[in-house]
Amino acid sequence: MNELKTIRLKPGKEESLGRRHPWVFSGAIASMDDGIEEGDCVAVVTAGNVTVGVGHYQIGSIAVRMLEFGVASLSEDFFRRRLEEALRLRRTLGLADFHNPERLTDCYRLVHGEGDFLPGLVVDIYGNTAVMQAHSPGMHFARDVIASELTQLSGAHIRNVYYKSETTLPYKAMLDPQNEYLIGNYDGNIATENGLKFNIDWLRGQKTGFFIDQRDNRALLEKFAKGRRFLNLFCYTGGFSVYGMRGGAESVVSVDSSAKAAALTDANIALNFPGDPRHRTEATDAFRFLSEMKKDEYDLIVLDPPAFAKHRNALKRGLLGYRRLNAKAFEKIAPGGILFTFSCSQVVTKEMFRMAVFTAAAQSGRRVRILHQLTQPADHPVDFSHPEGEYLKGLVLYVE
Ligand code: SAH
């Protein structure tokens, strides 16, 4: 293996790396060998020339995403070993049991970036298809190796690998990635989650096609649904709605501002509960729907909006958004109602979100108790060294 080009840190800038935080910020770099290009694997050394490890270089505030610590080069089988580890963890969770025809869930996240020690890479599995997203140029260049390892490791169970990075790679890197199959082709897009069926549209859908990260929270909602009038706001593919139907809700209304999302929800309801009159979909703005609906019309409400604060500088406005949205829900939900409320903004911490919801509750004058505190499921692990990987927060509230 060729020796890697080297990035040298400023004195003292190795501290967070010593705790295995996987990012090198551009401000920590003292010097770089000539000819380092975006996406290259580079060796990182301290000011005193001690090896820190190897990572992918890119232009931007996060300059290196570390792949391996304590080595000066990557072994040939680096991706294989990392993917094997990721697969082993999913097997531990009972998720990647390819040969069990009875299995109730065949969609899950196989690689969760830093949480699987593969910063810049996301892989979601839907039945026989892996949908792969690169968030760094280095992972973009490694895409074919990763795709081929995925099919081999799964014993050819994963037959299709769809690469979907048109919107996830830094635009300035000018890599011009195509969304395309690296291996195989489309062969049916119905995935099973806890025994429920979902059409997954990774070609046109948001992210990799489905919000796998709400699986456990949807299962919890099912337990609260019996006999309730359920309003699912920001429904996207109708995940919560389908669980609510199985849980025995009296009625289910799904709302999304996107007509495409509303159609996806209808399709998923039809797949599981054909002709069931309990469900209807509204393609409209959730804030408007909440403002216009009558009081006490619903006694189970889900609020799962898109990230209101995508960056730190949008934090204040984002928090205000969560407060307003939740305040409207508190104002309208029936006494004895259950509210599932979420934030997937990574920059909004658990504490901030809780404060925003608490403020909304206080404003409404309702007495509110926390029943559950929710987060992302175990196939979205959070590396202790990289707390930024924890992004999904939710509360289940009892509103008197
Ligand atoms: N709850 C979903 C995921 C929600 S993603 C699940 O379990 O899969 C967020 C959704 O909010 C997207 O589908 C988006 O179209 C929708 N959305 C964004 N802004 C909206 C608005 N103002 N009103 C209603 N829906 C909105």
Side-chain angles (χ1 to χ4, degrees):
M1 173 165 271
N2 296 338
E3 200 157 299
L4 294 174
K5 293 205 157 72
T6 297
I7 285 183
R8 184 160 287 107
L9 301 174
K10 290 179 184 163
K13 289 295 183 184
E14 65 278 11
E15 199 202 353
S16 66
L17 293 160
R19 294 192 301 269
R20 294 192 167 232
H21 188 282
W23 295 345
V24 177
F25 291 98
S26 55
I29 294 176
S31 66
M32 287 170 46
D33 281 356
D34 286 343
I36 291 182
E37 300 208 14
E38 244 188 323
D40 281 353
C41 257
V42 294
V44 177
V45 299
T46 66
N49 227 7
V50 177
T51 298
V52 175
V54 173
H56 279 147
Y57 171 71
Q58 78 183 70
I59 298 167
S61 142
I62 303 173
V64 184
R65 289 158 203 262
M66 298 302 291
L67 299 166
E68 188 101 275
F69 288 93
V71 296
S73 65
L74 285 188
S75 61
E76 292 278 335
D77 62 351
F78 170 77
F79 281 107
R80 164 168 288 259
R81 282 189 294 109
R82 280 287 194 277
L83 293 170
E84 256 168 6
E85 279 175 47
L87 195 58
R88 197 174 313 129
L89 174 58
R90 275 52 182 193
R91 290 208 167 111
T92 303
L93 303 173
L95 287 169
D97 183 8
F98 294 128
H99 301 293
N100 175 7
E102 309 274 288
R103 76 203 162 115
L104 295 175
T105 297
D106 69 2
C107 55
Y108 54 91
R109 179 153 291 191
L110 177 60
V111 177
H112 184 55
E114 284 82 356
D116 284 292
F117 313 122
L118 286 167
L121 181 69
V122 164
V123 179
D124 285 343
I125 306 293
Y126 299 111
N128 299 117
T129 300
V131 182
M132 184 174 146
Q133 276 187 333
H135 293 256
S136 69
M139 287 301 179
H140 173 69
F141 293 133
R143 66 196 182 282
D144 288 314
V145 176
I146 296 166
S148 124
E149 294 290 3
L150 281 172
T151 53
Q152 285 179 41
L153 280 176
S154 72
H157 182 88
I158 295 172
R159 291 199 291 272
N160 315 300
V161 180
Y162 185 65
Y163 184 62
K164 192 177 186 188
S165 303
E166 274 179 6
T167 58
T168 56
L169 281 165
Y171 147 83
K172 285 193 191 137
M174 296 203 294
L175 298 166
D176 199 18
Q178 305 291 311
N179 286 348
E180 62 182 343
Y181 284 97
L182 299 177
I183 294 178
N185 211 317
Y186 194 70
D187 74 345
N189 61 342
I190 292 183
T192 308
E193 186 186 86
N194 291 317
L196 294 164
K197 302 277 179 212
F198 290 94
N199 294 287
I200 315 287
D201 189 353
W202 48 81
L203 299 181
R204 285 165 294 268
Q206 303 173 39
K207 306 266 171 80
T208 67
F210 192 56
F211 284 76
I212 293 176
D213 56 4
Q214 289 286 24
R215 180 181 56 243
D216 292 352
N217 303 330
R218 292 192 270 257
L220 181 65
L221 175 117
E222 180 175 359
K223 297 187 193 162
F224 282 98
K226 200 165 182 56
R228 288 190 182 262
R229 297 158 297 159
F230 171 27
L231 173 62
N232 181 13
L233 293 171
F234 309 92
C235 66
Y236 185 31
T237 57
F240 283 103
S241 307
V242 174
Y243 279 78
M245 294 287 283
R246 187 167 71 179
E250 183 186 298
S251 61
V252 182
V253 177
S254 306
V255 175
D256 200 289
S257 56
S258 145
K260 262 194 317 202
L264 281 170
T265 296
D266 283 335
N268 286 329
I269 294 285
L271 194 58
N272 294 278
F273 303 95
D276 194 321
R278 289 177 298 153
H279 182 265
R280 80 184 157 88
T281 303
E282 298 247 357
T284 185
D285 180 82
F287 284 88
R288 196 159 95 207
F289 189 92
L290 271 172
S291 298
E292 290 175 1
M293 75 192 215
K294 288 202 263 336
K295 254 181 124 155
D296 301 347
E297 237 181 302
Y298 300 96
D299 47 18
L300 175 60
I301 298 181
V302 169
L303 300 176
D304 185 22
F308 283 164
K310 288 214 167 78
H311 306 284
R312 213 167 288 277
N313 47 17
L315 186 57
K316 222 170 142 191
R317 276 197 64 198
L319 288 171
L320 194 62
Y322 289 115
R323 195 175 90 199
R324 289 206 177 123
L325 179 67
N326 282 277
K328 278 185 192 291
F330 287 130
E331 199 186 301
K332 296 290 175 76
I333 195 167
I338 304 284
L339 177 65
F340 277 62
T341 181
F342 296 97
S343 163
C344 60
S345 302
Q346 192 243 306
V347 295
V348 173
T349 65
K350 231 179 351 213
E351 291 74 23
M352 291 176 195
F353 179 61
R354 192 166 155 159
M355 183 54 82
V357 177
F358 165 75
T359 311
Q363 273 174 350
S364 72
R366 308 285 296 264
R367 189 160 162 174
V368 177
R369 280 180 281 170
I370 299 174
L371 305 183
H372 292 275
Q373 305 187 45
L374 308 177
T375 182
Q376 62 218 51
D379 53 344
H380 295 59
V382 182
D383 177 11
F384 256 123
S385 303
H386 182 255
E388 297 92 331
E390 185 175 353
Y391 66 99
L392 184 63
K393 302 147 285 282
L395 294 168
V396 182
L397 305 170
Y398 184 78
V399 188
E400 283 177 29

